[in-house]
Amino acid sequence: VQLQASGGGMVQAGGSLRLSCAASGRYAMGWFRQAPGKEREFVAFISRSGGITSYAESVKGRFTISRDNAKNTVYLQMNSLKPEDMAVYYCAASNLVVVSSRSTDFGSWGQGTQLTVSS
């Protein structure tokens, strides 16, 4: 499994950004993030079909995960960004057919893309 994350950058608080993750196939996908000095945390999940999504409480209502299966690409639309959203964002792939927020359920990881939010 190969994953290529992109789309990170610098944005002002309240702004928006969209991350992309191109995969070598179709998998259940998750987005995780890791801020300096903190553990990696779950952000969002989308099932293989795209019919099921799940979000961390901290991003619910602001972030939207979606996918284009024709392109094997998953997106994370991030709106109303806050300084506390600043982190390296990772996409990850899983062969699970159930919703998961556990990083150990994802066997393949992208290289990470940095989001910087200025206040």
Side-chain angles (χ1 to χ4, degrees), residues 15-105:
S16 298
L17 205 66
R18 189 179 78 162
L19 305 182
S20 300
C21 179
S24 57
R26 189 187 298 186
Y27 307 93
M29 298 289 292
W31 284 98
F32 292 78
R33 66 187 182 187
Q34 187 167 20
K38 295 187 177 182
E39 293 187 355
R40 188 171 298 187
E41 65 174 359
F42 168 76
V43 176
F45 169 93
I46 189 165
S47 64
R48 191 170 177 270
S49 69
I52 299 173
T53 58
S54 177
Y55 298 91
E57 285 298 323
S58 59
V59 307
K60 199 172 290 185
R62 299 188 298 122
F63 290 12
T64 302
I65 190 170
S66 63
R67 65 189 304 152
D68 182 340
N69 283 336
K71 298 179 179 180
N72 286 335
T73 300
V74 173
Y75 304 98
L76 185 68
Q77 177 66 44
M78 304 182 292
N79 299 328
S80 302
L81 284 164
K82 305 175 181 180
E84 51 264 42
D85 294 318
M86 185 162 59
V88 176
Y89 283 70
Y90 299 89
C91 60
S94 172
N95 287 316
L96 287 179
V97 294
V98 294
V99 174
S100 177
S101 61
R102 300 186 303 182
S103 60
T104 52
D105 286 335

